[in-house]
Amino acid sequence: MKIATWNVNSLRVRLPHVLQFLQDEQCDVIGLQETKVDDDKFPEDEIRKLGYSCLFSGHKAYNGVAILTRDESVAVSDASFGIPGYPDPQKRLAAATITAQSGASFRFVCGYFPNGQAPGAAKYLYKLEWFCALRSAIEARLRTDPNLILVGDMNVAPTDEDIWDPEGWKGHILVSDAERDAFNSLIALGLTDAFRKAPVTEGDWSWWDYRNNALLRDQGARIDHTLVSDPLVGKIESVKIRRAYRELPQPSDHAPVVLELSL
DNA sequence: ATGACCGATCTTATCGGA
């Protein structure tokens, strides 16, 4: 089972890259973030032609998430959007139950976590509140779906190992104590950062700023994550950050992250 | 650094991103 997460920063602009990714990687399930497209303009036809079904929840300009599933390898049921019990006009969460041909199934949750702007800002408080609401929802879901995979652009570099200049970034968004505490409160539900447990990994950072030649200087952060619940930890085979997609012309500022599980 | 780069819009300026 191959699962990917990718903040595409506008699906319409990045569609050629996404189609290339679908053909080259043959993932079974892909979570996309920052689609920035209204549902009635979602480029479903192009994606369907490659054998993928689409679930999406978006609006123009900001946010937006989608789940693409490979028709010949997985079945999809019980799709839902948004955090249960947390009304939010921003489209940041999509989920579905995925069943493999083997019969194995898991709840797949794709999130575009708030950026937060700066510690103390209103958007930062929203980020922490959003984390808290998500934690409650995941906690409840794990009771009925012990097999759960949460992926997405979480906008947190969990440790100093996950940012190119931890000293320079100290106190900044992505690395502040409150954000890391919020991330760890999710982990404490019984989730594991697959990148840190995988026997095989590729890459270090999943995001490089467009500015300042950050990619060339390899000034990045690992903020796009694949978290798996306890029963799935032993099935992690690899987590690979596909930097090559960040190196294409007119790229997203994020690279796709691919998790392989023996499912 | 009131900076950079990129995408989107109520587009030729501004906002949000991270």
Side-chain angles (χ1 to χ4, degrees):
Chain A
M1 177 71 55
K2 271 180 96 172
I3 292 166
T5 179
W6 194 3
N7 177 324
V8 293
N9 187 18
S10 172
L11 180 56
R12 282 176 295 178
V13 171
R14 225 65 64 202
L15 187 60
H17 294 188
V18 171
L19 297 178
Q20 182 187 331
F21 179 79
L22 292 177
Q23 290 181 297
D24 291 352
E25 298 281 341
Q26 291 292 305
C27 291
D28 301 291
V29 186
I30 303 102
L32 301 178
Q33 304 90 39
E34 276 208 278
T35 54
K36 294 186 174 179
V37 63
D38 272 325
D39 288 347
D40 60 4
K41 295 189 176 66
F42 192 93
E44 193 170 8
D45 292 345
E46 294 92 326
I47 293 168
R48 285 206 63 84
K49 275 181 197 155
L50 296 182
Y52 285 83
S53 293
C54 310
L55 297 169
F56 43 84
S57 171
H59 48 69
K60 65 182 176 184
Y62 308 114
N63 312 312
V65 286
I67 297 174
L68 314 183
T69 54
R70 192 164 169 246
D71 296 329
E72 69 176 48
S73 58
V74 296
V76 183
S77 60
D78 198 15
S80 76
F81 302 100
I83 302 175
Y86 183 72
D88 186 356
Q90 302 190 28
K91 307 299 190 189
R92 294 183 175 276
L93 201 81
T97 296
I98 306 292
T99 305
Q101 282 172 331
S102 64
S105 77
F106 56 91
R107 188 68 179 171
F108 180 75
V109 183
C110 165
Y112 174 46
F113 292 43
N115 167 292
Q117 194 168 50
K123 288 174 185 172
Y124 184 81
L125 301 178
Y126 164 66
K127 180 177 193 173
L128 298 178
E129 183 185 82
W130 195 93
F131 253 105
C132 190
L134 180 66
R135 186 188 54 74
S136 297
I138 296 290
E139 182 176 33
R141 193 80 206 191
L142 279 167
R143 290 191 207 111
T144 54
D145 296 68
N147 293 345
L148 186 147
I149 300 176
L150 170 62
V151 308
D153 174 1
M154 304 194 187
N155 273 316
V156 177
T159 73
D160 281 354
E161 302 298 304
D162 299 309
I163 187 111
W164 69 278
D165 177 17
E167 286 308 309
W169 277 74
K170 207 173 268 296
H172 202 268
I173 53 158
L174 310 188
V175 306
S176 73
D177 289 343
E179 288 166 271
R180 285 178 170 173
D181 289 349
F183 179 85
N184 286 327
S185 74
L186 270 179
I187 294 295
L189 296 175
L191 299 175
T192 292
D193 180 352
F195 185 83
R196 291 296 176 211
K197 280 289 189 300
V200 175
T201 67
E202 173 185 301
D204 298 296
W205 319 131
S206 65
W207 166 82
W208 297 258
D209 202 311
Y210 284 124
R211 298 168 293 185
N212 217 21
N213 284 319
L215 180 67
L216 212 63
R217 296 152 80 169
D218 204 25
Q219 299 176 343
R222 194 177 66 89
I223 57 177
D224 300 88
H225 303 298
T226 56
L227 312 183
V228 307
S229 62
D230 290 339
L232 299 174
V233 172
K235 300 185 182 299
I236 300 167
E237 293 179 327
S238 67
V239 178
K240 297 177 179 176
I241 304 174
R242 295 300 201 197
R243 181 189 165 112
Y245 292 88
R246 179 65 178 80
E247 295 170 338
L248 293 172
Q250 202 177 11
S252 168
D253 46 352
H254 295 252
V257 180
V258 179
L259 161 68
E260 282 188 278
L261 294 164
S262 54
L263 271 183

